[in-house]
Amino acid sequence: MSRSDVIPDVIPVSAFSDNYIWTIRDSKCAAVVDPGDARPVLDYLKREKLELVAILNTHHHADHVGGNAELLGHFKVPVFGPHDPRIPEVTQRLADGERMILPHFELAFEVLEIPGHTRSHIAFYGAGMLFCGDTLFAAGCGRLFEGTPQQMHDSLTRLARLPDATRVYCGHEYTLANIRFAKAADPDNPALCKLESRAQQLRDRDLPTLPSDIGQEKATNPFLRCSDPGVIAAASGHAGRRLSDPVSVLAAIREWKNGF
Ligand code: ZN
Ligand code: FE
């Protein structure tokens, strides 16, 4: 068995109130995705006696990149990220369709440009895993800070085409709040109640609800279900006019969620 057949562990390191810094690790080394804060990462690496081998960044927001510089002060490692000067620490800038090999782990990731939350947001997809930052959340999606509903729709549609079993590692623990909204935007979806009780049980034990997977998201995430009659009806009811195309449905439920 070659090294690339071995799926390493992926561990969430918590940061701030609800960020996850996903840490790909084996017994010696670790790579981190979106280290918004260096402190919890350095504590984890020290406690587990791990050496940092790479940093991956999905987008430029401080809660995802704020720890880059301090980590680089401790470990001279490559930083993989988008073409965006707002992340000055990136050493290997990646565009849509490009592949990168994660050092030490020899895992191949494909880069997907998924604008919507920010204009230069990327995801890393490989080994059955998707690191999607703040674009796709369990039962939700990121706010449209720099992108249009059309861009977010296209990005989410692209992610929804990945295999159902793809594990989805999101940047935040927003699942319960997202489900509460999803039940309003997709009121006839029985899968949401089941997901809610599972997620609630995990949160009651202070465990992450993530990773999700693409199959679960297609079944429960209203932002991936903008062509579903139930979501169209709820979005139209909230907007006060008949919405017919999925992009206007996404725009309407994103607006709705902003004030929910
Ligand atoms: Zn963000
Ligand atoms: Fe974030």
Side-chain angles (χ1 to χ4, degrees), residues 136 156-157 159-160 214 217-218 221-227 250:
L136 173 63
L156 293 176
T157 300
L159 299 181
I214 292 293
E217 292 315 306
K218 289 196 300 197
N221 192 322
F223 297 93
L224 298 187
R225 295 167 55 78
C226 292
S227 302
L250 185 143

Side-chain angles (χ1 to χ4, degrees), residues 36-53:
D37 189 3
R39 192 73 265 160
V41 174
L42 291 169
D43 289 346
Y44 179 78
L45 297 174
K46 190 173 178 193
R47 192 167 69 241
E48 300 286 319
K49 300 184 172 58
L50 299 171
E51 186 192 333
L52 191 68
V53 294

Side-chain angles (χ1 to χ4, degrees), residues 1-254:
M1 195 154 71
S2 81
R3 197 171 215 173
S4 56
D5 297 324
V6 180
I7 310 275
D9 276 349
V10 183
I11 304 295
V13 170
S14 294
F16 311 115
S17 57
D18 49 33
N19 280 74
Y20 289 131
I21 301 169
W22 293 106
T23 302
I24 302 165
R25 63 157 292 178
D26 60 16
S27 58
K28 291 190 175 65
C29 295
V32 289
V33 182
D34 285 351
D37 189 3
R39 192 73 265 160
V41 174
L42 291 169
D43 289 346
Y44 179 78
L45 297 174
K46 190 173 178 193
R47 192 167 69 241
E48 300 286 319
K49 300 184 172 58
L50 299 171
E51 186 192 333
L52 191 68
V53 294
I55 296 171
L56 284 67
N57 289 149
T58 63
H59 68 294
H60 75 282
H61 285 158
D63 63 314
H64 297 256
V65 305
N68 283 356
E70 193 178 340
L71 291 174
L72 292 170
H74 290 79
F75 301 94
K76 276 260 153 285
V77 298
V79 182
F80 299 89
H83 286 272
D84 190 325
R86 294 174 296 184
I87 320 177
E89 299 88 8
V90 172
T91 57
Q92 307 210 25
R93 300 200 182 267
L94 297 158
D96 193 60
E98 289 187 327
R99 294 184 140 241
M100 56 156 281
I101 304 290
L102 192 62
H104 172 81
F105 297 98
E106 304 298 325
L107 286 176
F109 286 96
E110 183 185 348
V111 169
L112 308 174
E113 287 180 357
I114 46 169
H117 178 65
T118 69
R119 64 174 165 270
S120 61
H121 200 302
I122 60 173
F124 297 90
Y125 170 62
M129 306 185 288
L130 176 72
F131 296 96
C132 52
D134 289 356
T135 300
L136 173 63
F137 293 123
C141 76
R143 285 176 187 255
L144 301 180
F145 285 119
E146 298 178 355
T148 63
Q150 179 76 57
Q151 284 177 316
M152 182 56 95
H153 175 265
D154 293 349
S155 295
L156 293 176
T157 300
R158 212 169 153 200
L159 299 181
R161 284 199 295 261
L162 298 175
D164 281 0
T166 305
R167 291 185 299 290
V168 177
Y169 295 92
C170 319
H172 291 266
E173 179 61 63
Y174 287 160
T175 310
L176 282 176
N178 285 344
I179 293 170
R180 277 192 284 278
F181 173 74
K183 287 167 74 178
D186 192 4
D188 304 323
N189 185 348
L192 280 167
C193 292
K194 287 183 203 149
L195 179 64
E196 185 174 42
S197 63
R198 269 206 324 274
Q200 187 66 60
Q201 283 173 23
L202 289 166
R203 296 310 294 146
D204 287 346
R205 295 157 59 204
D206 210 25
L207 293 171
T209 60
L210 302 171
S212 177
D213 63 55
I214 292 293
Q216 173 183 309
E217 292 315 306
K218 289 196 300 197
T220 57
N221 192 322
F223 297 93
L224 298 187
R225 295 167 55 78
C226 292
S227 302
D228 179 89
V231 177
I232 296 172
S236 300
H238 186 260
R241 63 181 202 283
R242 176 78 202 160
L243 304 167
S244 49
D245 67 292
V247 175
S248 0
V249 171
L250 185 143
I253 62 174
R254 187 56 264 180

